[in-house]
Amino acid sequence: MKRETQNILLILLGGALVKIAANGDYLRYVKPAQQPWIIAGGGVMVLLGAVAIVRDLVASRKAAAHEHDGHAHSARPAWLLLVPVLAVFLVAPPALGADSVIRTEARAPSSAAVANAAAFPPLPAGDVVPLSVNDFVTRAGWDAAGTLNGRTVSLTGFVVHTGGSTLLARLVISCCAADAFPVTVRLRGAAADHLASDAWIQVTGQVVPGTATKDNSYTPDFTPASLTSVPTPKDPYEY
C-alpha cells in the first residue's frame, strides 16, 4: 500500500471515531464513559495522518527538484482500499439484538453474586416502579426477601422469539459490546406474540414468583398488564 493511501486511511479512521463519538453511535459498541477516549484516539489518528501527508508532500517536492519520472502510476487499486473505511464512516452497523440473545445463553447478572436479602433494598413506593431488566432479573433470581412479589413494575427492552416463547431482553455490557450478555424475561400470554423480533416495547406487570431458576438460565416469567411500542433508545445496553 502506498504511503499516501495509508495516511488517508488513518485520517478517515480517526474521523470515523470522532464522528460516532459526537453523534452517539459509539454507544452501540462501548459504555458512555469511553466517549472521551474515543474522541482523543480519533483526534490523534487524524493529526498523525495530516502530519504524515504534509511531510510526504514536502519530501516529494524536494525529490522532484532533483529528478523527474516520466512514467505515470495508477493509484486506483490503492484507492479501492478506502471503500470499506468509507462504509464505516458513513453507515453505522446496528446494535446487537435478538440474534445475539438466541446465540448466547442468558445468565444471572454478576451483581447477584451475593444472594441475601440485605443486598436488595425495598422497591420505592408507587403504583408502577420502573426497573432495568438487569435489576429485575437479579431480584427475581436472587432476592430471598421477594421484594418484587406483588409489585407492578415497568420494563423496557426488545422482543425475542425463541423456542416457542416470547422474551423481553436487554444486553448488559461491562466494557464494550464484545463482552455483552443477555438478561431475559419470559412474557406470559399473547400480548407480544405478533411483534417482530428486535421491536422495542415497554411493559408493565408483575413477576411470577419462583420462576427464575438456574435450570432456565434465570429467566423469570412476567405477566403483562399493559404493553406499548417504543422507539429504539439511543443507548440500547444496560450496565
Side-chain angles (χ1 to χ4, degrees), residues 166 185-193 206 208-209 211 220-225:
T166 300
V185 174
R186 182 175 293 101
L187 301 178
R188 287 194 170 185
D193 289 355
Q206 295 187 3
V208 178
T211 54
D221 283 8
F222 186 83
T223 304

Side-chain angles (χ1 to χ4, degrees), residues 103-229:
R103 291 195 306 266
T104 308
E105 182 182 9
R107 66 177 188 263
S110 58
S111 58
V114 180
N116 58 72
F120 300 93
L123 293 177
D127 294 335
V128 179
V129 180
L131 289 178
S132 69
V133 179
N134 190 19
D135 188 12
F136 180 82
V137 171
T138 303
R139 287 175 179 264
W142 295 79
D143 182 12
T147 55
L148 286 176
N149 297 348
R151 298 298 305 272
T152 300
V153 302
S154 172
L155 305 174
T156 299
F158 56 90
V159 173
V160 179
H161 298 292
T162 180
S165 298
T166 300
L167 307 179
L168 177 77
R170 290 297 288 265
L171 287 157
V172 181
I173 66 176
S174 300
C175 174
C176 60
D179 62 30
F181 67 89
V183 285
T184 54
V185 174
R186 182 175 293 101
L187 301 178
R188 287 194 170 185
D193 289 355
H194 67 287
L195 297 174
S197 288
D198 288 321
W200 281 81
I201 59 174
Q202 182 180 69
V203 293
T204 61
Q206 295 187 3
V207 69
V208 178
T211 54
T213 66
K214 183 178 180 180
D215 291 338
N216 65 10
S217 300
Y218 298 97
T219 297
D221 283 8
F222 186 83
T223 304
S226 67
L227 182 152
T228 306
S229 295

